[in-house]
Amino acid sequence: MYSDLFGDVLESLKETHREFDDRLVECPPVNISTCSTVGYNGYRWATQIDPYWNAYFLGLVLSLGSKIEGARVGDEFVYSYRYSPDYSKGSLFNSDINWRKFQADSLELVKADPAINYVVTCDIADFYTRIYHHRLENALDRIDTQKTISSKIKKLIQTFSGTNSYGLPVGGPASRILAELALDSLDHILLINGVRYKRYVDDFLLFCETKEGAHSVLTFISRKLMENEGLTLQKHKTNILSKDEFASLAQSKLFGLDEDEGSPVKARFMSLPIKFDPYSQNSTEQYEEVKKSLQDFDLLGMLSSELQKSKIDQAFGRQLVRSFAAADDNVLSSAFNVIFNSIAELYPIFSTVIQVATTNWSRFDVETKELVRKKLVELIKANSFILKTELNLSYVVKLLAKENNVESQTVLIEIYNSNTSSMLITLVVTQAMVKWNTHYWLSDLKRTFPTMPPWQRRLFIVASYLLGDEGKHWMTHNKNKFNFIDALYRDWGADRKSRNDLEAAL
């Protein structure tokens, strides 16, 4: 919608900036928050902000982005989300300063400096969800002395978190920039106190000469985190390592040498930057570049070896699954036959598997498509633990939506009826039904419009243009009930309908 009605959306955002308080009352943001799996037994909270308010929130933060970046400590100490926008590429952060460089530079430092004998590894517990608003607000006011922007950012953050006085939405560039600002004071405190350290988001590496010094600096950072930010370190992730122990750990993270230590093939594979987005402007060039880098690897053999382990190497598994997107179609299909016959063993990387399958669905052969659909339906019917997280289930819905048939419609309706309290599931199922133009279901759904959550409500407004005279009558009857965001979706639906390509846009 934003690209189709760019001018209208821009004017609406400007109006929101002028009439901020009134618009926040008229249509407050309603966000989708859910758990995503992390590894075999962990979970992480994820939030998707209301798209309209997310655009406005991001615009506010970006207007302060250069000032925030200018106040931060150097990128030889902090490697996360260094603000360096390149709007021609659609990127906001310096891609050369990243987690991999954080690990590689730390490894190089430890090997090269004889004064470093111990390394403290630690990270902050529940970092994004525990960021204290008051401290962040003070930091914003120091950046924006006029408080014209910071006051709006503060009010949005408070709205996103409900009644809590802490927490940022997890995910999204605006939250990432603000999270870095929240730790900036601690970064400066560590430097002026002579602590040798490197940081990536909430992961710290503290470099020490003696074990006593390591305990001392760990006490110092723990105290400053609690006193200044109200944050604590994760106990089970806090360790004091010898130089050799840290070097071994860093090498395993960089090259995946845990169970396969000494495997040069795996190390070389893990070092490849596999970044392939089939929807990007230069997707063909990306594909050819990644494909060329993979030509010396037996991807199917590597997959078979990994599945023989009692527990998969999750980083390696994700890298391997993504690499199949750049393989030949027959290799891709063969790989996903193997993957879905072992899908229960791959549950720590289930979301990656489903996302790659969805993106490359048209490249699968008929037999692979049938197998994938069969295995997913079996998981649904068995009420599998894999699909207990809304995020995993939503990915499955999106994949099943690739094929419009009676079985898919039946399965998705069952999912919808079993998850009426989930905003995420109701949204993705409705999106599938709208894309398929499932008239009977949409016609019946319109009765629930007054009680629909905001995201589904906007989608149904667009869908009404697929209902012919019934939809036209419904629109006439309900248009006076639309808020300013609803009206944007109404206009977008009308524009797409006039061009006869509404279904393609959904």
Side-chain angles (χ1 to χ4, degrees):
M1 182 191 79
Y2 291 162
S3 58
D4 286 347
L5 298 180
F6 181 79
D8 292 341
V9 172
L10 184 59
E11 285 303 315
S12 178
L13 291 170
K14 289 179 179 178
E15 179 67 19
T16 295
H17 195 58
R18 291 189 293 267
E19 305 295 336
F20 178 73
D21 291 329
D22 289 342
R23 289 220 156 171
L24 200 58
V25 171
E26 178 184 349
C27 188
V30 176
N31 310 317
I32 294 177
S33 295
T34 187
C35 284
S36 62
T37 54
V38 181
Y40 280 91
N41 302 305
Y43 295 89
R44 177 181 294 139
W45 199 248
T47 302
Q48 188 170 357
I49 302 173
D50 182 307
Y52 180 92
W53 286 106
N54 192 31
Y56 181 67
F57 180 48
L58 178 58
L60 290 174
V61 174
L62 292 186
S63 69
L64 299 179
S66 295
K67 289 183 178 180
I68 292 173
E69 179 63 31
R72 296 175 67 188
V73 304
D75 56 29
E76 70 271 32
F77 304 106
V78 177
Y79 290 71
S80 42
Y81 305 115
R82 305 305 312 212
Y83 185 66
S84 180
D86 184 342
Y87 296 111
S88 65
K89 296 181 180 179
S91 63
L92 293 175
F93 306 112
N94 188 335
S95 60
D96 295 327
I97 305 173
N98 50 36
W99 177 89
R100 195 167 193 85
K101 182 171 173 58
F102 162 67
Q103 291 288 341
D105 285 2
S106 299
L107 178 59
E108 182 181 352
L109 175 64
V110 168
K111 286 183 174 180
D113 192 336
I116 297 175
N117 296 307
Y118 293 91
V119 180
V120 179
T121 65
C122 54
D123 68 19
I124 299 171
D126 304 319
F127 174 46
Y128 274 79
T129 57
R130 303 302 302 180
I131 290 175
Y132 186 35
H133 288 173
H134 182 64
R135 295 287 297 180
L136 179 58
E137 290 166 3
N138 289 341
L140 281 167
D141 288 343
R142 288 193 295 271
I143 294 292
D144 179 28
T145 56
Q146 299 299 314
K147 299 182 176 58
T148 55
I149 301 298
S150 64
S151 62
K152 293 181 172 65
I153 293 175
K154 290 184 285 185
K155 187 163 288 188
L156 281 178
I157 291 171
Q158 292 165 358
T159 303
F160 295 153
S161 62
T163 58
N164 295 325
S165 60
Y166 51 84
L168 285 175
V170 180
S175 288
R176 289 170 183 147
I177 292 171
L178 293 177
E180 293 300 321
L181 176 62
L183 285 183
D184 185 60
S185 291
L186 178 63
D187 289 328
H188 283 88
I189 288 172
L190 292 175
L191 286 183
I192 65 174
N193 282 276
V195 177
R196 300 184 68 182
Y197 85 105
K198 292 183 184 292
R199 176 173 72 79
Y200 184 84
V201 191
D202 57 351
D203 291 336
F204 288 83
L205 298 175
L206 313 169
F207 308 102
C208 308
E209 186 172 359
T210 65
K211 197 165 189 178
E212 290 77 9
H215 282 288
S216 177
V217 77
L218 180 56
T219 300
F220 178 79
I221 191 173
S222 298
R223 181 161 52 85
K224 291 302 178 183
L225 267 173
M226 176 55 73
E227 289 176 349
N228 296 338
E229 312 299 337
L231 298 170
T232 59
L233 296 175
Q234 294 201 53
K235 295 179 182 178
H236 69 284
K237 288 189 176 182
T238 300
N239 294 290
I240 298 176
L241 306 177
S242 69
K243 176 194 289 276
D244 290 341
E245 288 172 334
F246 174 76
S248 177
L249 177 65
Q251 286 172 335
S252 71
K253 288 182 176 180
L254 286 167
F255 308 119
L257 298 178
D258 48 346
E259 292 185 33
D260 303 279
E261 189 164 1
S263 169
V265 173
K266 185 172 181 180
R268 191 156 51 90
F269 178 74
M270 286 300 292
S271 68
L272 295 176
I274 298 178
K275 297 178 181 178
F276 172 57
D277 179 4
Y279 302 112
S280 65
Q281 293 180 341
N282 62 335
S283 59
T284 301
E285 292 84 351
Q286 283 185 17
Y287 175 81
E288 292 301 327
E289 183 179 344
V290 174
K291 185 176 181 180
K292 184 178 179 180
S293 71
L294 293 171
Q295 62 187 4
D296 295 332
F297 295 94
D298 177 11
L299 298 178
L300 290 174
M302 293 164 72
L303 175 63
S304 178
S305 296
E306 194 65 24
L307 287 172
Q308 292 176 25
K309 298 179 181 179
S310 57
K311 286 188 175 182
I312 63 167
D313 178 338
Q314 295 165 52
F316 177 73
R318 290 189 184 90
Q319 176 92 330
L320 187 56
V321 169
R322 293 188 186 111
S323 72
F324 287 114
D328 293 334
D329 289 2
N330 60 332
V331 174
L332 175 69
S333 290
S334 296
F336 274 80
N337 267 280
V338 173
I339 287 169
F340 273 87
N341 274 312
S342 304
I343 194 64
E345 288 75 21
L346 293 172
Y347 78 86
I349 61 169
F350 182 81
S351 61
T352 300
V353 169
I354 301 299
Q355 289 176 77
V356 173
T358 303
T359 302
N360 295 278
W361 184 255
S362 62
R363 298 174 55 203
F364 290 150
D365 58 36
V366 173
E367 292 76 14
T368 302
K369 288 182 178 179
E370 290 178 352
L371 175 68
V372 170
R373 289 173 50 79
K374 175 187 173 185
K375 293 295 183 181
L376 292 179
V377 171
E378 287 176 357
L379 291 177
I380 295 168
K381 299 285 187 187
N383 197 24
S384 169
F385 72 95
I386 298 175
L387 304 184
K388 293 296 185 181
T389 60
E390 290 179 320
L391 205 56
N392 282 351
L393 183 57
S394 71
Y395 287 139
V396 169
V397 169
K398 290 180 179 180
L399 193 151
L400 293 175
K402 288 290 184 178
E403 299 281 345
N404 181 13
N405 52 49
V406 173
E407 182 188 24
S408 292
Q409 291 180 18
T410 301
V411 170
L412 262 60
I413 290 173
E414 289 176 356
I415 291 173
Y416 184 93
N417 291 336
S418 301
N419 293 272
T420 53
S421 62
S422 168
M423 192 188 310
L424 177 60
I425 300 305
T426 57
L427 179 66
V428 293
V429 173
T430 304
Q431 187 175 26
M433 292 299 192
V434 172
K435 193 172 184 64
W436 291 341
N437 196 2
T438 314
H439 187 280
Y440 71 89
W441 191 82
L442 295 172
S443 179
D444 187 58
L445 187 66
K446 71 178 188 295
R447 297 179 295 102
T448 66
F449 180 77
T451 59
M452 284 182 185
W455 293 29
Q456 186 187 26
R457 172 189 177 98
R458 297 166 200 167
L459 181 57
F460 188 82
I461 289 171
V462 176
S464 69
Y465 289 98
L466 300 174
L467 296 176
D469 288 340
E470 181 183 2
K472 185 176 181 180
H473 174 75
W474 177 88
M475 179 70 72
T476 301
H477 181 71
N478 286 278
K479 63 183 180 182
N480 291 332
K481 303 174 185 176
F482 297 167
N483 58 49
F484 67 94
I485 299 180
D486 292 339
L488 283 172
Y489 282 82
R490 176 200 63 202
D491 294 346
W492 178 61
D495 177 65
R496 278 286 185 169
K497 180 64 174 178
S498 69
R499 292 189 272 150
N500 296 314
D501 62 354
L502 179 56
E503 292 92 335
L506 294 169

